[in-house]
mmCIF file of all heavy atoms in Angstrom:
data_model
loop_
_atom_site.group_PDB
_atom_site.id
_atom_site.type_symbol
_atom_site.label_atom_id
_atom_site.label_comp_id
_atom_site.label_asym_id
_atom_site.label_seq_id
_atom_site.Cartn_x
_atom_site.Cartn_y
_atom_site.Cartn_z
ATOM 1 N N GLN H 1 0.820 -1.207 0.002
ATOM 2 C CA GLN H 1 0.004 0.000 0.001
ATOM 3 C C GLN H 1 0.853 1.258 0.002
ATOM 4 O O GLN H 1 0.514 2.260 -0.636
ATOM 5 C CB GLN H 1 -0.926 -0.008 1.224
ATOM 6 C CG GLN H 1 -2.029 -1.045 1.153
ATOM 7 C CD GLN H 1 -2.747 -1.236 2.488
ATOM 8 O OE1 GLN H 1 -2.427 -0.568 3.480
ATOM 9 N NE2 GLN H 1 -3.700 -2.150 2.527
ATOM 10 N N ARG H 2 1.988 1.195 0.701
ATOM 11 C CA ARG H 2 2.851 2.378 0.813
ATOM 12 C C ARG H 2 3.785 2.523 -0.394
ATOM 13 O O ARG H 2 4.004 3.646 -0.890
ATOM 14 C CB ARG H 2 3.665 2.264 2.111
ATOM 15 C CG ARG H 2 4.656 3.398 2.339
ATOM 16 C CD ARG H 2 3.965 4.709 2.624
ATOM 17 N NE ARG H 2 4.937 5.759 2.935
ATOM 18 C CZ ARG H 2 5.287 6.118 4.164
ATOM 19 N NH1 ARG H 2 4.720 5.515 5.212
ATOM 20 N NH2 ARG H 2 6.178 7.066 4.374
ATOM 21 N N PHE H 3 4.324 1.397 -0.857
ATOM 22 C CA PHE H 3 5.315 1.434 -1.949
ATOM 23 C C PHE H 3 4.698 0.772 -3.172
ATOM 24 O O PHE H 3 4.812 -0.450 -3.378
ATOM 25 C CB PHE H 3 6.608 0.738 -1.510
ATOM 26 C CG PHE H 3 7.177 1.302 -0.238
ATOM 27 C CD1 PHE H 3 6.981 0.643 0.970
ATOM 28 C CD2 PHE H 3 7.869 2.498 -0.241
ATOM 29 C CE1 PHE H 3 7.490 1.162 2.152
ATOM 30 C CE2 PHE H 3 8.382 3.039 0.939
ATOM 31 C CZ PHE H 3 8.186 2.371 2.141
ATOM 32 N N ARG H 4 4.032 1.565 -3.970
ATOM 33 C CA ARG H 4 3.232 1.056 -5.084
ATOM 34 C C ARG H 4 4.056 0.346 -6.149
ATOM 35 O O ARG H 4 3.552 -0.542 -6.859
ATOM 36 C CB ARG H 4 2.459 2.218 -5.727
ATOM 37 C CG ARG H 4 1.518 2.957 -4.789
ATOM 38 C CD ARG H 4 0.308 2.124 -4.458
ATOM 39 N NE ARG H 4 -0.636 2.848 -3.613
ATOM 40 C CZ ARG H 4 -1.783 2.331 -3.197
ATOM 41 N NH1 ARG H 4 -2.121 1.113 -3.556
ATOM 42 N NH2 ARG H 4 -2.587 3.038 -2.416
ATOM 43 N N ASN H 5 5.315 0.741 -6.296
ATOM 44 C CA ASN H 5 6.168 0.132 -7.335
ATOM 45 C C ASN H 5 6.836 -1.161 -6.881
ATOM 46 O O ASN H 5 7.613 -1.750 -7.619
ATOM 47 C CB ASN H 5 7.254 1.138 -7.761
ATOM 48 C CG ASN H 5 6.678 2.354 -8.451
ATOM 49 O OD1 ASN H 5 5.655 2.263 -9.132
ATOM 50 N ND2 ASN H 5 7.317 3.502 -8.257
ATOM 51 N N SER H 6 6.535 -1.579 -5.664
ATOM 52 C CA SER H 6 7.200 -2.765 -5.118
ATOM 53 C C SER H 6 6.552 -4.056 -5.631
ATOM 54 O O SER H 6 5.442 -4.072 -6.141
ATOM 55 C CB SER H 6 7.140 -2.737 -3.594
ATOM 56 O OG SER H 6 5.788 -2.847 -3.152
ATOM 57 N N LYS H 7 7.313 -5.124 -5.503
ATOM 58 C CA LYS H 7 6.841 -6.472 -5.819
ATOM 59 C C LYS H 7 6.967 -7.337 -4.576
ATOM 60 O O LYS H 7 7.936 -7.248 -3.826
ATOM 61 C CB LYS H 7 7.643 -7.097 -6.962
ATOM 62 C CG LYS H 7 7.538 -6.350 -8.286
ATOM 63 C CD LYS H 7 6.151 -6.461 -8.878
ATOM 64 C CE LYS H 7 6.080 -5.789 -10.253
ATOM 65 N NZ LYS H 7 4.699 -5.885 -10.827
ATOM 66 N N ILE H 8 5.970 -8.195 -4.371
ATOM 67 C CA ILE H 8 5.933 -9.087 -3.196
ATOM 68 C C ILE H 8 6.144 -10.518 -3.659
ATOM 69 O O ILE H 8 5.472 -11.001 -4.567
ATOM 70 C CB ILE H 8 4.598 -8.984 -2.439
ATOM 71 C CG1 ILE H 8 4.287 -7.532 -2.060
ATOM 72 C CG2 ILE H 8 4.620 -9.893 -1.212
ATOM 73 C CD1 ILE H 8 5.236 -6.917 -1.074
ATOM 74 N N ILE H 9 7.076 -11.175 -3.010
ATOM 75 C CA ILE H 9 7.351 -12.587 -3.313
ATOM 76 C C ILE H 9 7.431 -13.345 -1.996
ATOM 77 O O ILE H 9 7.862 -12.788 -0.980
ATOM 78 C CB ILE H 9 8.659 -12.711 -4.124
ATOM 79 C CG1 ILE H 9 8.870 -14.138 -4.613
ATOM 80 C CG2 ILE H 9 9.852 -12.228 -3.344
ATOM 81 C CD1 ILE H 9 9.994 -14.244 -5.643
ATOM 82 N N VAL H 10 6.972 -14.579 -1.981
ATOM 83 C CA VAL H 10 7.039 -15.394 -0.760
ATOM 84 C C VAL H 10 7.490 -16.795 -1.121
ATOM 85 O O VAL H 10 7.099 -17.350 -2.148
ATOM 86 C CB VAL H 10 5.675 -15.430 -0.024
ATOM 87 C CG1 VAL H 10 4.587 -16.071 -0.883
ATOM 88 C CG2 VAL H 10 5.791 -16.172 1.311
ATOM 89 N N THR H 11 8.352 -17.343 -0.282
ATOM 90 C CA THR H 11 8.762 -18.739 -0.405
ATOM 91 C C THR H 11 7.965 -19.567 0.597
ATOM 92 O O THR H 11 7.916 -19.243 1.784
ATOM 93 C CB THR H 11 10.272 -18.914 -0.145
ATOM 94 O OG1 THR H 11 10.985 -18.171 -1.134
ATOM 95 C CG2 THR H 11 10.660 -20.383 -0.235
ATOM 96 N N ILE H 12 7.328 -20.625 0.110
ATOM 97 C CA ILE H 12 6.559 -21.526 0.980
ATOM 98 C C ILE H 12 7.496 -22.601 1.536
ATOM 99 O O ILE H 12 7.889 -23.532 0.833
ATOM 100 C CB ILE H 12 5.395 -22.195 0.224
ATOM 101 C CG1 ILE H 12 4.480 -21.161 -0.434
ATOM 102 C CG2 ILE H 12 4.596 -23.102 1.177
ATOM 103 C CD1 ILE H 12 3.735 -20.304 0.532
ATOM 104 N N HIS H 13 7.864 -22.452 2.796
ATOM 105 C CA HIS H 13 8.735 -23.445 3.450
ATOM 106 C C HIS H 13 7.908 -24.540 4.123
ATOM 107 O O HIS H 13 8.395 -25.665 4.320
ATOM 108 C CB HIS H 13 9.622 -22.774 4.479
ATOM 109 C CG HIS H 13 10.588 -21.801 3.881
ATOM 110 N ND1 HIS H 13 11.795 -22.186 3.336
ATOM 111 C CD2 HIS H 13 10.531 -20.461 3.741
ATOM 112 C CE1 HIS H 13 12.442 -21.116 2.890
ATOM 113 N NE2 HIS H 13 11.682 -20.060 3.122
ATOM 114 N N TYR H 14 6.695 -24.215 4.488
ATOM 115 C CA TYR H 14 5.820 -25.206 5.139
ATOM 116 C C TYR H 14 4.401 -24.648 5.214
ATOM 117 O O TYR H 14 4.180 -23.448 5.129
ATOM 118 C CB TYR H 14 6.308 -25.532 6.564
ATOM 119 C CG TYR H 14 6.316 -24.345 7.503
ATOM 120 C CD1 TYR H 14 5.190 -24.029 8.256
ATOM 121 C CD2 TYR H 14 7.438 -23.537 7.635
ATOM 122 C CE1 TYR H 14 5.182 -22.932 9.115
ATOM 123 C CE2 TYR H 14 7.451 -22.438 8.491
ATOM 124 C CZ TYR H 14 6.316 -22.145 9.222
ATOM 125 O OH TYR H 14 6.310 -21.061 10.054
ATOM 126 N N PHE H 15 3.454 -25.562 5.340
ATOM 127 C CA PHE H 15 2.086 -25.221 5.747
ATOM 128 C C PHE H 15 1.910 -25.778 7.154
ATOM 129 O O PHE H 15 2.278 -26.930 7.419
ATOM 130 C CB PHE H 15 1.048 -25.864 4.821
ATOM 131 C CG PHE H 15 1.025 -25.320 3.422
ATOM 132 C CD1 PHE H 15 1.380 -26.120 2.345
ATOM 133 C CD2 PHE H 15 0.649 -24.014 3.170
ATOM 134 C CE1 PHE H 15 1.363 -25.644 1.055
ATOM 135 C CE2 PHE H 15 0.619 -23.503 1.881
ATOM 136 C CZ PHE H 15 0.983 -24.317 0.821
ATOM 137 N N ASN H 16 1.338 -25.004 8.051
ATOM 138 C CA ASN H 16 1.169 -25.485 9.432
ATOM 139 C C ASN H 16 0.369 -26.778 9.493
ATOM 140 O O ASN H 16 0.652 -27.669 10.297
ATOM 141 C CB ASN H 16 0.487 -24.408 10.278
ATOM 142 C CG ASN H 16 1.450 -23.321 10.729
ATOM 143 O OD1 ASN H 16 2.654 -23.551 10.815
ATOM 144 N ND2 ASN H 16 0.924 -22.141 11.012
ATOM 145 N N TRP H 17 -0.655 -26.886 8.635
ATOM 146 C CA TRP H 17 -1.504 -28.074 8.708
ATOM 147 C C TRP H 17 -0.738 -29.345 8.350
ATOM 148 O O TRP H 17 -1.092 -30.431 8.818
ATOM 149 C CB TRP H 17 -2.730 -27.926 7.799
ATOM 150 C CG TRP H 17 -2.455 -27.793 6.319
ATOM 151 C CD1 TRP H 17 -2.409 -26.639 5.597
ATOM 152 C CD2 TRP H 17 -2.218 -28.856 5.392
ATOM 153 N NE1 TRP H 17 -2.152 -26.910 4.271
ATOM 154 C CE2 TRP H 17 -2.031 -28.267 4.127
ATOM 155 C CE3 TRP H 17 -2.142 -30.251 5.502
ATOM 156 C CZ2 TRP H 17 -1.760 -29.016 2.980
ATOM 157 C CZ3 TRP H 17 -1.875 -31.002 4.369
ATOM 158 C CH2 TRP H 17 -1.688 -30.377 3.126
ATOM 159 N N CYS H 18 0.319 -29.227 7.561
ATOM 160 C CA CYS H 18 1.104 -30.419 7.190
ATOM 161 C C CYS H 18 1.717 -31.076 8.417
ATOM 162 O O CYS H 18 1.689 -32.305 8.576
ATOM 163 C CB CYS H 18 2.197 -30.048 6.197
ATOM 164 S SG CYS H 18 1.621 -29.848 4.515
ATOM 165 N N SER H 19 2.265 -30.254 9.297
ATOM 166 C CA SER H 19 2.846 -30.806 10.519
ATOM 167 C C SER H 19 1.759 -31.287 11.477
ATOM 168 O O SER H 19 1.849 -32.364 12.043
ATOM 169 C CB SER H 19 3.706 -29.743 11.215
ATOM 170 O OG SER H 19 4.809 -29.396 10.427
ATOM 171 N N THR H 20 0.719 -30.472 11.617
ATOM 172 C CA THR H 20 -0.368 -30.806 12.543
ATOM 173 C C THR H 20 -1.047 -32.110 12.179
ATOM 174 O O THR H 20 -1.379 -32.925 13.036
ATOM 175 C CB THR H 20 -1.424 -29.672 12.572
ATOM 176 O OG1 THR H 20 -0.773 -28.432 12.858
ATOM 177 C CG2 THR H 20 -2.479 -29.941 13.617
ATOM 178 N N LEU H 21 -1.244 -32.325 10.867
ATOM 179 C CA LEU H 21 -1.927 -33.530 10.379
ATOM 180 C C LEU H 21 -0.959 -34.610 9.932
ATOM 181 O O LEU H 21 -1.355 -35.571 9.276
ATOM 182 C CB LEU H 21 -2.870 -33.160 9.215
ATOM 183 C CG LEU H 21 -3.906 -32.089 9.485
ATOM 184 C CD1 LEU H 21 -4.748 -31.835 8.229
ATOM 185 C CD2 LEU H 21 -4.801 -32.478 10.654
ATOM 186 N N GLN H 22 0.312 -34.462 10.295
ATOM 187 C CA GLN H 22 1.356 -35.409 9.907
ATOM 188 C C GLN H 22 1.345 -35.678 8.405
ATOM 189 O O GLN H 22 1.525 -36.810 7.945
ATOM 190 C CB GLN H 22 1.233 -36.719 10.689
ATOM 191 C CG GLN H 22 1.519 -36.567 12.175
ATOM 192 C CD GLN H 22 1.719 -37.877 12.890
ATOM 193 O OE1 GLN H 22 1.232 -38.915 12.448
ATOM 194 N NE2 GLN H 22 2.415 -37.850 14.005
ATOM 195 N N GLY H 23 1.170 -34.603 7.647
ATOM 196 C CA GLY H 23 1.255 -34.708 6.198
ATOM 197 C C GLY H 23 0.090 -35.337 5.496
ATOM 198 O O GLY H 23 0.169 -35.653 4.300
ATOM 199 N N SER H 24 -1.024 -35.530 6.194
ATOM 200 C CA SER H 24 -2.176 -36.201 5.601
ATOM 201 C C SER H 24 -2.976 -35.237 4.720
ATOM 202 O O SER H 24 -3.773 -34.437 5.216
ATOM 203 C CB SER H 24 -3.097 -36.780 6.688
ATOM 204 O OG SER H 24 -4.256 -37.348 6.105
ATOM 205 N N ILE H 25 -2.786 -35.354 3.421
ATOM 206 C CA ILE H 25 -3.524 -34.511 2.476
ATOM 207 C C ILE H 25 -5.000 -34.904 2.455
ATOM 208 O O ILE H 25 -5.886 -34.042 2.336
ATOM 209 C CB ILE H 25 -2.907 -34.622 1.066
ATOM 210 C CG1 ILE H 25 -1.476 -34.072 1.065
ATOM 211 C CG2 ILE H 25 -3.756 -33.864 0.043
ATOM 212 C CD1 ILE H 25 -0.759 -34.213 -0.251
ATOM 213 N N SER H 26 -5.302 -36.190 2.593
ATOM 214 C CA SER H 26 -6.695 -36.641 2.563
ATOM 215 C C SER H 26 -7.482 -36.074 3.736
ATOM 216 O O SER H 26 -8.654 -35.663 3.579
ATOM 217 C CB SER H 26 -6.771 -38.167 2.558
ATOM 218 O OG SER H 26 -6.228 -38.714 3.747
ATOM 219 N N TYR H 27 -6.861 -36.030 4.929
ATOM 220 C CA TYR H 27 -7.537 -35.440 6.088
ATOM 221 C C TYR H 27 -7.736 -33.941 5.868
ATOM 222 O O TYR H 27 -8.801 -33.392 6.168
ATOM 223 C CB TYR H 27 -6.733 -35.707 7.357
ATOM 224 C CG TYR H 27 -7.441 -35.347 8.652
ATOM 225 C CD1 TYR H 27 -8.813 -35.053 8.683
ATOM 226 C CD2 TYR H 27 -6.743 -35.313 9.853
ATOM 227 C CE1 TYR H 27 -9.450 -34.732 9.871
ATOM 228 C CE2 TYR H 27 -7.365 -34.985 11.040
ATOM 229 C CZ TYR H 27 -8.731 -34.683 11.047
ATOM 230 O OH TYR H 27 -9.353 -34.359 12.220
ATOM 231 N N PHE H 28 -6.730 -33.291 5.341
ATOM 232 C CA PHE H 28 -6.825 -31.860 5.050
ATOM 233 C C PHE H 28 -7.996 -31.590 4.110
ATOM 234 O O PHE H 28 -8.802 -30.695 4.344
ATOM 235 C CB PHE H 28 -5.510 -31.373 4.442
ATOM 236 C CG PHE H 28 -5.524 -29.962 3.935
ATOM 237 C CD1 PHE H 28 -5.692 -28.894 4.798
ATOM 238 C CD2 PHE H 28 -5.386 -29.701 2.581
ATOM 239 C CE1 PHE H 28 -5.713 -27.586 4.329
ATOM 240 C CE2 PHE H 28 -5.408 -28.403 2.103
ATOM 241 C CZ PHE H 28 -5.573 -27.337 2.970
ATOM 242 N N CYS H 29 -8.089 -32.381 3.048
ATOM 243 C CA CYS H 29 -9.178 -32.209 2.083
ATOM 244 C C CYS H 29 -10.537 -32.449 2.725
ATOM 245 O O CYS H 29 -11.509 -31.718 2.450
ATOM 246 C CB CYS H 29 -8.989 -33.162 0.906
ATOM 247 S SG CYS H 29 -7.573 -32.760 -0.130
ATOM 248 N N SER H 30 -10.629 -33.454 3.590
ATOM 249 C CA SER H 30 -11.914 -33.745 4.231
ATOM 250 C C SER H 30 -12.371 -32.578 5.108
ATOM 251 O O SER H 30 -13.558 -32.299 5.230
ATOM 252 C CB SER H 30 -11.819 -35.032 5.060
ATOM 253 O OG SER H 30 -11.053 -34.844 6.243
ATOM 254 N N ILE H 31 -11.397 -31.892 5.736
ATOM 255 C CA ILE H 31 -11.724 -30.720 6.552
ATOM 256 C C ILE H 31 -12.299 -29.608 5.686
ATOM 257 O O ILE H 31 -13.281 -28.948 6.039
ATOM 258 C CB ILE H 31 -10.471 -30.223 7.309
ATOM 259 C CG1 ILE H 31 -10.055 -31.241 8.376
ATOM 260 C CG2 ILE H 31 -10.736 -28.859 7.968
ATOM 261 C CD1 ILE H 31 -8.736 -30.941 9.053
ATOM 262 N N LEU H 32 -11.687 -29.407 4.508
ATOM 263 C CA LEU H 32 -12.169 -28.346 3.607
ATOM 264 C C LEU H 32 -13.575 -28.649 3.087
ATOM 265 O O LEU H 32 -14.381 -27.739 2.907
ATOM 266 C CB LEU H 32 -11.208 -28.192 2.418
ATOM 267 C CG LEU H 32 -9.744 -27.837 2.723
ATOM 268 C CD1 LEU H 32 -9.004 -27.525 1.430
ATOM 269 C CD2 LEU H 32 -9.642 -26.674 3.694
ATOM 270 N N TRP H 33 -13.855 -29.925 2.866
ATOM 271 C CA TRP H 33 -15.145 -30.298 2.247
ATOM 272 C C TRP H 33 -16.287 -30.400 3.253
ATOM 273 O O TRP H 33 -17.461 -30.404 2.877
ATOM 274 C CB TRP H 33 -14.989 -31.637 1.524
ATOM 275 C CG TRP H 33 -14.035 -31.565 0.356
ATOM 276 C CD1 TRP H 33 -13.770 -30.465 -0.408
ATOM 277 C CD2 TRP H 33 -13.229 -32.614 -0.166
ATOM 278 N NE1 TRP H 33 -12.842 -30.779 -1.374
ATOM 279 C CE2 TRP H 33 -12.499 -32.092 -1.261
ATOM 280 C CE3 TRP H 33 -13.043 -33.952 0.176
ATOM 281 C CZ2 TRP H 33 -11.599 -32.853 -2.001
ATOM 282 C CZ3 TRP H 33 -12.146 -34.720 -0.560
ATOM 283 C CH2 TRP H 33 -11.444 -34.163 -1.640
ATOM 284 N N LYS H 34 -15.949 -30.492 4.541
ATOM 285 C CA LYS H 34 -16.996 -30.651 5.558
ATOM 286 C C LYS H 34 -17.845 -29.392 5.675
ATOM 287 O O LYS H 34 -17.382 -28.272 5.460
ATOM 288 C CB LYS H 34 -16.368 -30.941 6.926
ATOM 289 C CG LYS H 34 -15.908 -32.379 7.119
ATOM 290 C CD LYS H 34 -15.358 -32.564 8.524
ATOM 291 C CE LYS H 34 -14.912 -34.014 8.741
ATOM 292 N NZ LYS H 34 -14.358 -34.216 10.105
ATOM 293 N N ASP H 35 -19.095 -29.607 6.045
ATOM 294 C CA ASP H 35 -19.956 -28.484 6.385
ATOM 295 C C ASP H 35 -19.449 -27.872 7.689
ATOM 296 O O ASP H 35 -18.871 -28.562 8.530
ATOM 297 C CB ASP H 35 -21.399 -28.972 6.568
ATOM 298 C CG ASP H 35 -22.367 -27.838 6.829
ATOM 299 O OD1 ASP H 35 -22.835 -27.224 5.839
ATOM 300 O OD2 ASP H 35 -22.633 -27.561 8.002
ATOM 301 N N VAL H 36 -19.663 -26.573 7.865
ATOM 302 C CA VAL H 36 -19.152 -25.863 9.023
ATOM 303 C C VAL H 36 -19.593 -26.523 10.333
ATOM 304 O O VAL H 36 -18.846 -26.544 11.322
ATOM 305 C CB VAL H 36 -19.580 -24.364 8.976
ATOM 306 C CG1 VAL H 36 -21.103 -24.227 9.021
ATOM 307 C CG2 VAL H 36 -18.925 -23.603 10.124
ATOM 308 N N LYS H 37 -20.817 -27.081 10.368
ATOM 309 C CA LYS H 37 -21.317 -27.708 11.581
ATOM 310 C C LYS H 37 -20.669 -29.054 11.870
ATOM 311 O O LYS H 37 -20.742 -29.561 12.985
ATOM 312 C CB LYS H 37 -22.839 -27.872 11.484
ATOM 313 C CG LYS H 37 -23.597 -26.547 11.409
ATOM 314 C CD LYS H 37 -25.093 -26.773 11.302
ATOM 315 C CE LYS H 37 -25.849 -25.457 11.210
ATOM 316 N NZ LYS H 37 -27.320 -25.672 11.063
ATOM 317 N N GLU H 38 -20.033 -29.634 10.847
ATOM 318 C CA GLU H 38 -19.432 -30.953 11.018
ATOM 319 C C GLU H 38 -17.998 -30.887 11.561
ATOM 320 O O GLU H 38 -17.469 -31.888 12.043
ATOM 321 C CB GLU H 38 -19.416 -31.697 9.671
ATOM 322 C CG GLU H 38 -20.801 -32.000 9.122
ATOM 323 C CD GLU H 38 -20.739 -32.656 7.760
ATOM 324 O OE1 GLU H 38 -19.790 -32.333 6.999
ATOM 325 O OE2 GLU H 38 -21.589 -33.508 7.464
ATOM 326 N N ARG H 39 -17.375 -29.713 11.489
ATOM 327 C CA ARG H 39 -15.999 -29.586 11.940
ATOM 328 C C ARG H 39 -15.935 -29.403 13.452
ATOM 329 O O ARG H 39 -16.670 -28.602 14.029
ATOM 330 C CB ARG H 39 -15.312 -28.378 11.275
ATOM 331 C CG ARG H 39 -15.221 -28.441 9.774
ATOM 332 C CD ARG H 39 -14.363 -27.301 9.227
ATOM 333 N NE ARG H 39 -14.560 -27.179 7.787
ATOM 334 C CZ ARG H 39 -15.302 -26.256 7.206
ATOM 335 N NH1 ARG H 39 -15.887 -25.319 7.953
ATOM 336 N NH2 ARG H 39 -15.458 -26.234 5.897
ATOM 337 N N ASN H 40 -15.020 -30.169 14.091
ATOM 338 C CA ASN H 40 -14.782 -29.941 15.513
ATOM 339 C C ASN H 40 -13.865 -28.715 15.653
ATOM 340 O O ASN H 40 -13.438 -28.124 14.658
ATOM 341 C CB ASN H 40 -14.186 -31.183 16.186
ATOM 342 C CG ASN H 40 -12.882 -31.634 15.515
ATOM 343 O OD1 ASN H 40 -12.075 -30.805 15.090
ATOM 344 N ND2 ASN H 40 -12.680 -32.949 15.433
ATOM 345 N N SER H 41 -13.552 -28.316 16.884
ATOM 346 C CA SER H 41 -12.777 -27.097 17.096
ATOM 347 C C SER H 41 -11.377 -27.197 16.487
ATOM 348 O O SER H 41 -10.851 -26.204 15.948
ATOM 349 C CB SER H 41 -12.675 -26.799 18.594
ATOM 350 O OG SER H 41 -12.065 -27.888 19.294
#
């Protein structure tokens, strides 16, 4: 917002959910697909 001519770049070193779910992509996907009422805290 302040430096309009700037460019933003980010390196993805990790996703927090990968460690939390021990790398389970299928569990991650199931969380995304669940209805809001079906997700636990």
Side-chain angles (χ1 to χ4, degrees):
Q1 290 168 1
R2 177 68 176 264
F3 305 101
R4 300 288 183 179
N5 294 328
S6 66
K7 297 292 184 181
I8 306 294
I9 187 168
V10 62
T11 298
I12 304 294
H13 296 277
Y14 62 89
F15 292 115
N16 281 336
W17 63 262
C18 281
S19 296
T20 306
L21 304 180
Q22 293 193 336
S24 176
I25 295 176
S26 63
Y27 189 12
F28 172 66
C29 292
S30 72
I31 292 172
L32 301 188
W33 295 332
K34 282 182 179 180
D35 185 85
V36 62
K37 296 179 180 179
E38 296 177 327
R39 298 188 194 103
N40 57 37
S41 59

